[in-house]
Amino acid sequence: MKKQAEDRIQDHHRFIDEAGDMTFFTKKHGREISVIGDNGVSRCFMIGMVHVKEDLHDARRKVMDFCSRIDRNPAFQKYESVRKRTERGNNGFYPHASKDPNDLRLRYIEYLMSEINFSAQIVVARKIPDIYVNKHHRNNQTLYADVMSHLIKDKDKIDPLILDIAGRGSSTSNTNLEQAVRIAQKRSVRGKIPRVLDNQIRFNVQPFDHELLLSITDYCLWTVQRVYERGEDEYFEMLKSKISLVLDLYDSTKYDKNKNYYTRRNLLSATAVGFESWEKPLWNE
């Protein structure tokens, strides 16, 4: 029985990271204005969760093998962002989509598709000022907990559920993660399929470069982020068979028939999320 439990340990772990920022406002001439979508401020905040469906040691070894090739490849070491990670990373180079050159990104995405068995779920929070003010009370930790709760509310049968989380400051503090669990517990009992989320949930918060499997979540998030922030579908197309769900949490225009749940039957695209007609949210307080 012990051996069998060890063999299935991957079923208990979920690897979690975030993308985008939680900046909404700035002061100008004594007046608060929205900066969403301006000067590098993201239009969305999102959290992703990856389930690695094979032996975790084997999966880590595969990612380490890929990283070792990058460490030894002078064509990639000419990039300063790559060379810095080779020199400073916990175990040398580690993939990070926003910092990787495009030819490396393409290579890693192809590697993930061919070598590692995993699935991803992502919750996207469009940055809507009224929701941030009235629902989240201008509190970034409350926003984070609200988004995170949607990823864990249906994980009641995984006991223990071990959340391996990329540490991102105060948003991933244990207090805030516990708040996410409380919100998820409330949501689980009032869903279309009532559940009781009373399983043991453990948090394993660590630096991004200390757990190479977090790079899978990072890459999945990056491909979805490109759809929402730049209207680019091609990277998501490469990984879409591995991304089982993208929940566009606050797109009320798609609530009818749950069209804001993007799955393999209702595919995510720049057109589907209305990228071309997506105006900057207004704030006139």
Side-chain angles (χ1 to χ4, degrees), residues 40-62:
V41 175
S42 68
R43 298 200 295 182
C44 298
F45 173 73
M46 54 190 76
I47 303 178
M49 170 183 286
V50 160
H51 177 200
V52 176
K53 298 180 179 181
E54 60 182 80
D55 182 88
L56 298 183
H57 300 294
D58 290 345
R60 286 191 191 96
R61 177 185 52 76
K62 292 175 185 177

CSV table of all heavy atoms in Angstrom, one decimal, residues 40-62:
chain,number,residue,atom,x,y,z
A,40,GLY,N,2.7,49.4,-19.6
A,40,GLY,CA,3.1,48.1,-19.1
A,40,GLY,C,2.2,47.5,-18.0
A,40,GLY,O,2.5,46.4,-17.5
A,41,VAL,N,1.2,48.3,-17.5
A,41,VAL,CA,0.3,47.7,-16.6
A,41,VAL,C,-0.6,46.8,-17.3
A,41,VAL,O,-1.2,47.1,-18.3
A,41,VAL,CB,-0.5,48.9,-15.9
A,41,VAL,CG1,-1.6,48.3,-15.0
A,41,VAL,CG2,0.4,49.8,-15.2
A,42,SER,N,-0.8,45.6,-16.7
A,42,SER,CA,-1.6,44.5,-17.4
A,42,SER,C,-3.1,44.8,-17.3
A,42,SER,O,-3.6,45.6,-16.5
A,42,SER,CB,-1.3,43.2,-16.7
A,42,SER,OG,-1.8,43.1,-15.4
A,43,ARG,N,-3.8,44.3,-18.3
A,43,ARG,CA,-5.3,44.4,-18.3
A,43,ARG,C,-5.9,43.3,-17.5
A,43,ARG,O,-7.1,43.4,-17.2
A,43,ARG,CB,-5.8,44.4,-19.7
A,43,ARG,CG,-5.2,45.5,-20.6
A,43,ARG,CD,-6.0,45.8,-21.8
A,43,ARG,NE,-6.0,44.7,-22.8
A,43,ARG,CZ,-6.7,44.7,-23.9
A,43,ARG,NH1,-7.3,45.8,-24.3
A,43,ARG,NH2,-6.6,43.7,-24.8
A,44,CYS,N,-5.2,42.3,-17.2
A,44,CYS,CA,-5.8,41.1,-16.4
A,44,CYS,C,-4.8,40.7,-15.4
A,44,CYS,O,-3.5,40.9,-15.5
A,44,CYS,CB,-6.0,40.0,-17.4
A,44,CYS,SG,-7.3,40.3,-18.6
A,45,PHE,N,-5.3,40.0,-14.4
A,45,PHE,CA,-4.5,39.2,-13.4
A,45,PHE,C,-5.0,37.8,-13.5
A,45,PHE,O,-6.2,37.6,-13.6
A,45,PHE,CB,-4.7,39.8,-12.0
A,45,PHE,CG,-4.0,38.9,-11.0
A,45,PHE,CD1,-2.6,38.9,-10.8
A,45,PHE,CD2,-4.8,38.1,-10.1
A,45,PHE,CE1,-2.0,38.1,-9.9
A,45,PHE,CE2,-4.2,37.3,-9.2
A,45,PHE,CZ,-2.8,37.3,-9.0
A,46,MET,N,-4.1,36.8,-13.5
A,46,MET,CA,-4.5,35.4,-13.6
A,46,MET,C,-3.6,34.5,-12.8
A,46,MET,O,-2.5,34.8,-12.5
A,46,MET,CB,-4.5,35.0,-15.1
A,46,MET,CG,-3.2,35.2,-15.8
A,46,MET,SD,-3.3,34.9,-17.7
A,46,MET,CE,-4.2,36.4,-18.2
A,47,ILE,N,-4.2,33.4,-12.4
A,47,ILE,CA,-3.5,32.4,-11.6
A,47,ILE,C,-3.7,31.1,-12.4
A,47,ILE,O,-4.8,30.7,-12.8
A,47,ILE,CB,-4.1,32.3,-10.2
A,47,ILE,CG1,-4.0,33.6,-9.5
A,47,ILE,CG2,-3.3,31.2,-9.4
A,47,ILE,CD1,-4.5,33.6,-8.0
A,48,GLY,N,-2.6,30.3,-12.5
A,48,GLY,CA,-2.7,29.0,-13.2
A,48,GLY,C,-2.3,27.9,-12.3
A,48,GLY,O,-1.6,28.0,-11.3
A,49,MET,N,-2.9,26.7,-12.5
A,49,MET,CA,-2.6,25.5,-11.8
A,49,MET,C,-2.3,24.3,-12.7
A,49,MET,O,-3.1,24.1,-13.6
A,49,MET,CB,-3.9,25.2,-10.9
A,49,MET,CG,-3.8,23.8,-10.2
A,49,MET,SD,-5.4,23.4,-9.3
A,49,MET,CE,-5.2,24.5,-7.9
A,50,VAL,N,-1.2,23.7,-12.5
A,50,VAL,CA,-0.8,22.5,-13.3
A,50,VAL,C,-0.8,21.2,-12.5
A,50,VAL,O,-0.4,21.2,-11.4
A,50,VAL,CB,0.5,22.8,-14.0
A,50,VAL,CG1,1.2,21.5,-14.4
A,50,VAL,CG2,0.4,23.7,-15.1
A,51,HIS,N,-1.4,20.2,-13.1
A,51,HIS,CA,-1.4,18.8,-12.6
A,51,HIS,C,-0.4,18.0,-13.5
A,51,HIS,O,-0.7,17.8,-14.6
A,51,HIS,CB,-2.8,18.2,-12.6
A,51,HIS,CG,-2.8,16.8,-12.2
A,51,HIS,ND1,-3.9,15.9,-12.5
A,51,HIS,CD2,-2.0,16.1,-11.4
A,51,HIS,CE1,-3.6,14.8,-12.0
A,51,HIS,NE2,-2.5,14.8,-11.3
A,52,VAL,N,0.7,17.7,-12.9
A,52,VAL,CA,1.7,16.8,-13.6
A,52,VAL,C,1.2,15.4,-13.4
A,52,VAL,O,1.1,14.9,-12.3
A,52,VAL,CB,3.1,17.0,-13.1
A,52,VAL,CG1,4.1,16.0,-13.8
A,52,VAL,CG2,3.5,18.4,-13.3
A,53,LYS,N,0.9,14.7,-14.5
A,53,LYS,CA,0.3,13.4,-14.4
A,53,LYS,C,1.3,12.2,-14.6
A,53,LYS,O,0.9,11.1,-14.9
A,53,LYS,CB,-0.8,13.3,-15.5
A,53,LYS,CG,-1.9,14.3,-15.4
A,53,LYS,CD,-2.9,14.2,-16.4
A,53,LYS,CE,-4.0,15.2,-16.3
A,53,LYS,NZ,-5.1,15.1,-17.3
A,54,GLU,N,2.5,12.4,-14.3
A,54,GLU,CA,3.5,11.4,-14.3
A,54,GLU,C,4.3,11.5,-13.1
A,54,GLU,O,4.2,12.5,-12.3
A,54,GLU,CB,4.4,11.5,-15.6
A,54,GLU,CG,5.1,12.8,-15.7
A,54,GLU,CD,6.0,12.8,-17.0
A,54,GLU,OE1,5.4,13.1,-18.0
A,54,GLU,OE2,7.2,12.6,-16.9
A,55,ASP,N,5.2,10.6,-12.9
A,55,ASP,CA,6.1,10.6,-11.7
A,55,ASP,C,6.8,11.9,-11.6
A,55,ASP,O,7.4,12.4,-12.6
A,55,ASP,CB,7.1,9.5,-11.8
A,55,ASP,CG,8.0,9.4,-10.6
A,55,ASP,OD1,7.7,8.8,-9.6
A,55,ASP,OD2,9.1,10.1,-10.6
A,56,LEU,N,6.7,12.6,-10.5
A,56,LEU,CA,7.2,14.0,-10.3
A,56,LEU,C,8.8,14.0,-10.5
A,56,LEU,O,9.3,14.9,-11.1
A,56,LEU,CB,6.8,14.6,-9.0
A,56,LEU,CG,5.3,14.8,-8.8
A,56,LEU,CD1,5.0,15.5,-7.5
A,56,LEU,CD2,4.7,15.5,-10.0
A,57,HIS,N,9.4,13.0,-10.0
A,57,HIS,CA,10.9,12.9,-10.1
A,57,HIS,C,11.3,12.8,-11.6
A,57,HIS,O,12.2,13.4,-12.0
A,57,HIS,CB,11.4,11.7,-9.3
A,57,HIS,CG,11.2,11.8,-7.9
A,57,HIS,ND1,11.7,12.8,-7.0
A,57,HIS,CD2,10.4,11.0,-7.1
A,57,HIS,CE1,11.3,12.6,-5.8
A,57,HIS,NE2,10.5,11.5,-5.8
A,58,ASP,N,10.5,12.0,-12.3
A,58,ASP,CA,10.8,11.8,-13.8
A,58,ASP,C,10.6,13.2,-14.5
A,58,ASP,O,11.4,13.5,-15.4
A,58,ASP,CB,10.0,10.7,-14.4
A,58,ASP,CG,10.4,9.3,-13.9
A,58,ASP,OD1,11.5,9.2,-13.4
A,58,ASP,OD2,9.6,8.4,-14.1
A,59,ALA,N,9.5,13.8,-14.2
A,59,ALA,CA,9.2,15.1,-14.8
A,59,ALA,C,10.2,16.1,-14.5
A,59,ALA,O,10.6,16.9,-15.4
A,59,ALA,CB,7.8,15.6,-14.4
A,60,ARG,N,10.7,16.2,-13.3
A,60,ARG,CA,11.7,17.2,-12.9
A,60,ARG,C,13.0,16.9,-13.7
A,60,ARG,O,13.7,17.8,-14.2
A,60,ARG,CB,12.0,17.2,-11.4
A,60,ARG,CG,10.9,17.8,-10.6
A,60,ARG,CD,11.4,18.0,-9.2
A,60,ARG,NE,10.2,18.4,-8.3
A,60,ARG,CZ,9.5,17.6,-7.6
A,60,ARG,NH1,9.8,16.3,-7.6
A,60,ARG,NH2,8.5,18.0,-6.9
A,61,ARG,N,13.3,15.6,-13.8
A,61,ARG,CA,14.5,15.2,-14.5
A,61,ARG,C,14.5,15.6,-15.9
A,61,ARG,O,15.5,16.1,-16.5
A,61,ARG,CB,14.7,13.7,-14.4
A,61,ARG,CG,16.0,13.2,-15.2
A,61,ARG,CD,16.0,11.7,-15.1
A,61,ARG,NE,14.8,11.0,-15.5
A,61,ARG,CZ,14.4,10.9,-16.8
A,61,ARG,NH1,15.1,11.4,-17.8
A,61,ARG,NH2,13.2,10.3,-17.1
A,62,LYS,N,13.3,15.5,-16.6
A,62,LYS,CA,13.1,15.9,-17.9
A,62,LYS,C,13.4,17.4,-18.1
A,62,LYS,O,14.0,17.9,-19.0
A,62,LYS,CB,11.7,15.5,-18.5
A,62,LYS,CG,11.5,14.0,-18.6
A,62,LYS,CD,10.1,13.7,-19.0
A,62,LYS,CE,9.8,12.3,-19.0
A,62,LYS,NZ,8.4,12.0,-19.3
